[in-house]
């Protein structure tokens, strides 16, 4: 339609949001649907954090703030980056936005010119390529396969870089695979980047604290200090602190880039919710003991889901290091027909039939750039996961 912008025609709505919305609608209409689509913790926001939000309202902290965040939150972010990642930043190098999404979007909007390329490892989180397109750039997808445990090889990164590359987006533990890069694996990638001084690194560390079996999280500027001046380290409170709806994400990086991001935010949304900012101060500065107990629950659920999926002929599922996703391959099921007569010729057909015939909502792999797979978010109760995996097993057994 001519009325809409040409840029908009290059992008699609977020598939993760679409699947979770559809599952919610079906449930509300009385259908027996289990939603494993949305990537958000089922835990409540910890009480001390919620109380800090309530206290902010009571204290009248309900007005505009500086467009990219209050100084108290920027200081808490600097302290967190030092404590957890050994990185030195000052508040002028920090930007706070409405969720990790706005932060990444601001950074791309602030830096991309038409024709600029952004290297994105696949499987990728659904919004990276579309944000690049919205900002006028070109996503360049570099594939990581199941055989590589979904981790990008240095050779694949090297091959994807051209003179037009502006950014490399790095996400570990990964959405949608849960794959986490060890320090040595990350160092092998940062060694490639050292050879290409024109490439900047945008790192999405949102799943930092969701790691299992002793996995040691690390982030590019920490592993390779020589990249500090061209790295934007992005993170947020949504996943680790069960604060998805509060919408607070942040980034730290060179001051001129942070200033450019601030300019965009000052002309678009202004500050992220003031009340949420005060709650995030408490999240970052307050006790963190609940993270270990939440992780013990997530790890149990991961092991349950992986073992039940592995019982299915035609499904292959690696054990991820972190996040709350698994990304099984259904290569062995492609070409079969469901009990209701649907041809499973793509992972999208699989996910649609699974929802319609078995009442389980998952996100199809093509949305994340690697097929044929599907993503399960296991951030829901053990009983729900058992029931969902039993339904998936029965559905797959019914394929012929
Ligand atoms: N990041 C989560 C997901 O992948 C939330 C939805 C979204 O923003 O994509 O499901």
């Amino acid at each position: 339609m001519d009325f809409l912008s040409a840029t908009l025609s290059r992008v699609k709505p977020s598939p993760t949001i679409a699947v979770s919305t559809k599952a919610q609608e079906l449930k509300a209409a009385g259908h027996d649907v289990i939603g494993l689509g949305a990537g958000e913790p089922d835990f409540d926001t910890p009480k001390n954090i919620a109380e800090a939000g309530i206290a902010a309202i009571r204290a009248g902290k309900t007005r505009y703030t500086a467009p990219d965040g209050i100084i108290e939150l920027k200081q808490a972010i600097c302290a967190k980056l030092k404590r957890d990642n050994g990185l030195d930043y000052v508040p002028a190098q920090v930007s706070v936005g409405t969720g990790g999404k706005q932060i990444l979007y601001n950074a791309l909007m602030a830096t991309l010119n038409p024709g600029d390329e952004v290297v994105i490892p696949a499987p990728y989180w659904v919004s990276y390529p579309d944000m690049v397109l919205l900002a006028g750039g070109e996503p360049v997808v570099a594939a990581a396969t199941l055989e590589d445990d979904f981790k990008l090889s240095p050779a694949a990164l090297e091959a994807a870089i051209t003179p037009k590359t502006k950014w490399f987006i790095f996400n570990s533990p990964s959405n949608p695979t849960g794959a986490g890069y060890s320090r040595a694996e990350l160092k092998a990638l940062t060694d490639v980047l050292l050879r290409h001084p024109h490439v900047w690194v945008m790192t999405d560390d949102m799943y930092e604290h969701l790691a299992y079996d002793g996995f040691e999280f690390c982030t590019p500027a920490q592993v390779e200090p020589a990249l500090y001046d061209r790295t934007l380290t992005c993170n947020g409170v949504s996943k680790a602190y069960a604060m998805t709806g509060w919408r607070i994400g942040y980034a730290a990086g060179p001051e001129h880039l942070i200033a450019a991001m601030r300019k965009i935010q000052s002309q678009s949304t202004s500050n992220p919710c003031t009340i949420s900012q005060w709650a995030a101060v408490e999240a970052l500065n307050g006790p963190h003991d609940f993270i270990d107990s939440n992780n013990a629950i997530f790890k149990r659920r991961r092991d349950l889901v992986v073992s039940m999926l592995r019982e299915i002929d035609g499904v292959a599922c690696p054990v991820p290091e972190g996040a709350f996703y698994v990304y099984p391959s259904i290569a062995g099921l492609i070409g079969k027909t469901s009990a209701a007569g649907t041809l499973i010729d793509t992972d999208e057909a699989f996910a649609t039939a699974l929802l319609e015939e078995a009442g389980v909502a998952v996100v199809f792999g093509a949305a994340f750039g690697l097929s044929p797979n599907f993503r399960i978010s296991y951030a829901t109760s053990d009983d729900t996961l058992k029931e969902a995996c039993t339904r998936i097993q029965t559905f797959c057994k019914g394929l012929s």
Side-chain angles (χ1 to χ4, degrees):
M1 208 202 302
D2 287 338
F3 179 65
L4 301 178
S5 75
T7 305
L8 194 68
S9 68
R10 300 178 81 200
V11 305
K12 57 181 185 319
S14 162
T16 47
I17 303 286
V19 168
S20 24
T21 309
K22 182 157 185 199
Q24 277 163 9
E25 279 168 10
L26 286 170
K27 255 196 235 167
H31 295 277
D32 172 21
V33 167
I34 302 176
L36 304 181
E40 71 174 338
D42 55 325
F43 306 125
D44 288 335
T45 303
K47 199 161 179 285
N48 60 310
I49 301 174
E51 288 299 335
I54 294 166
I57 296 174
R58 294 224 162 95
K61 293 173 174 167
T62 51
R63 299 202 161 83
Y64 293 135
T65 70
D68 61 354
I70 53 176
I71 185 72
E72 290 83 350
L73 181 50
K74 291 185 176 191
Q75 284 165 341
I77 290 164
C78 293
K80 173 263 175 272
L81 289 165
K82 184 71 183 163
R83 177 176 72 232
D84 295 342
N85 314 113
L87 292 172
D88 288 301
Y89 288 102
V90 295
Q93 292 176 286
V94 173
S95 184
V96 184
T98 299
K101 259 174 156 161
Q102 187 183 28
I103 285 294
L104 300 172
Y105 187 65
N106 284 349
L108 293 167
M109 287 298 285
T111 54
L112 293 185
N113 289 311
D116 284 347
E117 295 176 356
V118 178
V119 174
I120 302 174
Y124 46 71
W125 176 48
V126 293
S127 293
Y128 299 145
D130 289 78
M131 284 186 185
V132 169
L133 290 167
L134 277 173
E138 301 298 330
V140 172
V141 173
T145 61
L146 180 96
E147 291 69 39
D148 297 329
D149 291 327
F150 300 123
K151 293 181 212 174
L152 189 70
S153 69
L157 174 58
E158 182 77 60
I161 293 175
T162 76
K164 291 181 179 168
T165 308
K166 198 135 203 186
W167 287 102
F168 167 55
I169 299 187
F170 178 76
N171 171 223
S172 164
S174 148
N175 177 2
T177 65
Y181 289 67
S182 68
R183 183 172 276 268
E185 287 163 339
L186 179 50
K187 182 78 177 66
L189 295 181
T190 57
D191 283 350
V192 173
L193 296 168
L194 283 182
R195 293 198 287 276
H196 299 279
H198 66 293
V199 179
W200 282 57
V201 190
M202 191 179 297
T203 169
D204 179 352
D205 295 347
M206 191 58 90
Y207 295 92
E208 166 178 13
H209 291 298
L210 301 168
Y212 318 112
D213 303 328
F215 173 77
E216 191 209 335
F217 171 84
C218 47
T219 188
Q222 169 190 29
V223 166
E224 182 44 80
L227 291 177
Y228 177 87
D229 287 335
R230 50 182 167 116
T231 297
L232 186 69
T233 299
C234 305
N235 207 322
V237 296
S238 292
K239 313 291 179 175
Y241 302 95
M243 291 177 73
T244 47
W246 297 76
R247 311 306 302 133
I248 294 291
Y250 58 86
E255 231 179 290
H256 63 98
L257 173 59
I258 295 297
M261 292 165 63
R262 182 186 314 126
K263 197 196 272 188
I264 292 179
Q265 204 156 297
S266 77
Q267 291 289 20
S268 53
T269 59
S270 292
N271 64 276
C273 171
T274 304
I275 299 148
S276 298
Q277 290 190 63
W278 285 104
V281 170
E282 171 63 17
L284 293 175
N285 289 344
H288 280 71
D289 42 335
F290 63 89
I291 290 182
D292 281 348
S293 41
N294 287 0
N295 280 357
I297 297 170
F298 280 139
K299 177 184 147 50
R300 190 181 67 221
R301 294 170 176 176
R302 178 200 66 177
D303 293 343
L304 166 75
V305 170
V306 169
S307 70
M308 288 188 75
L309 290 171
R310 283 184 169 181
E311 286 166 14
I312 306 174
D313 281 341
V315 172
C317 188
V319 181
E321 286 87 359
F324 36 62
Y325 306 112
V326 291
Y327 196 63
S329 160
I330 51 161
L333 302 178
I334 294 299
K336 298 193 174 200
T337 303
S338 75
T342 308
L343 174 65
I344 307 299
D345 53 350
T346 61
D347 51 31
E348 188 165 4
F350 175 86
T352 305
L354 188 66
L355 178 59
E356 284 169 2
E357 299 175 32
V360 181
V362 299
V363 187
F364 57 95
F368 304 100
L370 187 86
S371 291
N373 291 68
F374 67 97
R375 187 190 81 173
I376 284 181
S377 164
Y378 57 79
T380 189
S381 75
D382 293 38
D383 285 347
T384 305
L385 289 171
K386 266 183 219 154
E387 171 61 18
C389 290
T390 304
R391 289 188 194 188
I392 295 172
Q393 287 181 337
T394 309
F395 174 79
C396 293
K397 262 190 213 134
L399 298 175
S400 55

